C-alpha cells in the first residue's frame, strides 16, 4: 500500500487523533439511535415481535455489505472511502424515525447497518495501518473512543427522550452535526492507496480461514458484551429484586468499566503483549461472571458486571488488529471478523432470553461466564507476528 499524502504519512500521531475522532462519531451515531428505538416503535405502533424483526436488519445489512469495503477502499483510497461511508452512516440515522411503516423501517435499517459495517471495516483497517506506522498499540484506545462516542450519543438521546422531544428533529439534527464532525475528522486520517501494479480485491471478498478463527474469539467477547448490556438490569431486577435505579447501575457500571479498560488497554498490550493481556482479561471477566451468578447481593452483582466489562474490553480491538495482520488484504480479514462479531451481537440477547425461559437468568449468565473462560483458552490466536515477549 502507498499513501498519496506525504504530510499525513509523516504525522501518524495526527492521523491517529483524527481516526479516534472518527471512531467517536461512529459510536455517537450508534448510541443516539439506540435511545430512540422505543419512540420509533411507539410511533409506528409495532409490538416487540415486529420490532425484533426490524432490529435484525442492521446486522443483515452489515453482513452483506462489509465484504465490499475492501473494493471501495481500493477504488477511492482509504480517506475518501471513510469520509463517504461515515457520512452515509451519519445521515442514515435520521431515516428510521421518518419511516411510515414496518417494511420501510426494515429497509432503512438495512441501509443503516450496511453503512455502519463498511465504515467500521474501513476504520479498523486504517487503525491497523496507523498502529504499524506508530510502532505501538493504539487499537484499544481507538475502540475506547468509540465507547466514549456511544456514551455521549446515548446521553444526548436520553435527555431528548426525557424532555419528550420528537425523534425526527433529534435524529435529524444529530445526523447533520455528526456528518460535519466526521467529514472534518477524516481530513487528517491516512490516505492509503493500492499501488498501480497491485490487483484490485474481488468485488465481494470472502474472509480468509485465519480470520474465521480470530472471529471465534471475538464472538465470545461480543456475546458477553451484548448479553450484559441488554440483560444486566433485568438480572438485578428479576433475580435479586433490585429497584429500577439500582438495576440500571449494573449496565452503567459495565459500560463505564469497558470504556476505562479500553483506554488503559494499549499500555498493557505494549507491556505484556496481546496474548497475556487477553488471557488476564478473560480471567477477570470470568471472575466477574461468577460474582453475577453466585447467590450474592446487588453490590456484588454490579461489581461483577463491571469486571465483565473490564475483562472483555480489549478483545475486539485486538481481534481486528490480529485480523489485519493475518493476510495480504487487511480489509478482507477485518470484514470477516466484523461479520462474526456483528452476528454475535445479534444472536446474544435472544439466546440469553431463550436460555432464561428454559431455565433461569442465572443459567444464562453461567453460559456467558463459560464463554469468557474461552477467551483464556483462545487468546493464543491473537499473537502478534513478532511478539517475542509472548
Amino acid at each position: 500500500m502507498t499513501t498519496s499524502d506525504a504530510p499525513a504519512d509523516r504525522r501518524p500521531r495526527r492521523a491517529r487523533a483524527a481516526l479516534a475522532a472518527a471512531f467517536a462519531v461512529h459510536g455517537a451515531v450508534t448510541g443516539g439511535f439506540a435511545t430512540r428505538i422505543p419512540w420509533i416503535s411507539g410511533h409506528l405502533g409495532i409490538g416487540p415481535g415486529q420490532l425484533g424483526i426490524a432490529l435484525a436488519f442492521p446486522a443483515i445489512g452489515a453482513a452483506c455489505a462489509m465484504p465490499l469495503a475492501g473494493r471501495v477502499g481500493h477504488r477511492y483510497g482509504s480517506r475518501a472511502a471513510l469520509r463517504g461511508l461515515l457520512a452515509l452512516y451519519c445521515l442514515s440515522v435520521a431515516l428510521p424515525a421518518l419511516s411510515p411503516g414496518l417494511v420501510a423501517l426494515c429497509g432503512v435499517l438495512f441501509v443503516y447497518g450496511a453503512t455502519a459495517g463498511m465504515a467500521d471495516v474501513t476504520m479498523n483497517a486504517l487503525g491497523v495501518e496507523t498502529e504499524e506506522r506508530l510502532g505501538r498499540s493504539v487499537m484499544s484506545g481507538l475502540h475506547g473512543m468509540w465507547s466514549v462516542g456511544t456514551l455521549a450519543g446515548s446521553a444526548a438521546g436520553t435527555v431528548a427522550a426525557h424532555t419528550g422531544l420528537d425523534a425526527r428533529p433529534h435524529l435529524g439534527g444529530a445526523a447533520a452535526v455528526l456528518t460535519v464532525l466526521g467529514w472534518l475528522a477524516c481530513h487528517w486520517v491516512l490516505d492509503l492507496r493500492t499501488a498501480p501494479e497491485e490487483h484490485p480485491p474481488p468485488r465481494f471478498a470472502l474472509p480468509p480461514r485465519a480470520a474465521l478463527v480470530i472471529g471465534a474469539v471475538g464472538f465470545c467477547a461480543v456475546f458477553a458484551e451484548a448479553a450484559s448490556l441488554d440483560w444486566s438490569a433485568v438480572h438485578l431486577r428479576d433475580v435479586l429484586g433490585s429497584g429500577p435505579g439500582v438495576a440500571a447501575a449494573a449496565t452503567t457500571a459495565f459500560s463505564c468499566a469497558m470504556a476505562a479498560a479500553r483506554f488503559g488497554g494499549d499500555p498493557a498490550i505494549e507491556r505484556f503483549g496481546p496474548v497475556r493481556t487477553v488471557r488476564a482479561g478473560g480471567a477477570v471477566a470470568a471472575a466477574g461472571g461468577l460474582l453475577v451468578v453466585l447467590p450474592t447481593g446487588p453490590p456484588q452483582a454490579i461489581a461483577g458486571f463491571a469486571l465483565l466489562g473490564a475483562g472483555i474490553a480489549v478483545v475486539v480491538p485486538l481481534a481486528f488488529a490480529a485480523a489485519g495482520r493475518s493476510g495480504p488484504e487487511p480489509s478482507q480479514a477485518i470484514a470477516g471478523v466484523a461479520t462474526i462479531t456483528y452476528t454475535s451481537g445479534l444472536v446474544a440477547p435472544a439466546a440469553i432470553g431463550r436460555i432464561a425461559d428454559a431455565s433461569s437468568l442465572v443459567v444464562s449468565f453461567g453460559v456467558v461466564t463459560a464463554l469468557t473462560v474461552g477467551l483464556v483458552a483462545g487468546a493464543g490466536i491473537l499473537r502478534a507476528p513478532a511478539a517475542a515477549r509472548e
Side-chain angles (χ1 to χ4, degrees), residues 223 235 239 292-294 351-352 354-370:
F223 191 100
H235 178 83
V239 176
V292 171
V293 301
L294 290 176
I352 292 296
R354 289 186 177 275
I355 295 170
D357 282 341
S359 52
S360 69
L361 270 175
V362 173
V363 175
S364 295
F365 278 103
V367 173
V368 171
T369 304

Side-chain angles (χ1 to χ4, degrees), residues 150-174:
T150 303
L151 290 171
S154 61
T158 300
V159 171
H162 276 295
T163 59
L165 180 64
D166 189 301
R168 287 168 290 192
H170 164 224
L171 293 180

Side-chain angles (χ1 to χ4, degrees), residues 127-180:
V128 171
E129 182 63 27
T130 303
E131 191 171 77
E132 293 294 324
R133 302 277 179 102
L134 287 169
R136 59 183 176 85
S137 176
V138 300
M139 288 292 284
S140 183
L142 291 175
H143 282 256
M145 288 299 297
W146 188 91
S147 297
V148 168
T150 303
L151 290 171
S154 61
T158 300
V159 171
H162 276 295
T163 59
L165 180 64
D166 189 301
R168 287 168 290 192
H170 164 224
L171 293 180
V177 171
L178 292 172
T179 298
V180 172

Side-chain angles (χ1 to χ4, degrees), residues 18-52:
L19 190 57
F23 267 84
V25 168
H26 193 287
V29 175
T30 304
F33 168 69
T35 61
R36 304 319 304 261
I37 292 174
W39 185 96
I40 293 168
S41 62
H43 179 69
L44 296 179
I46 59 177
Q50 291 177 315
L51 179 62

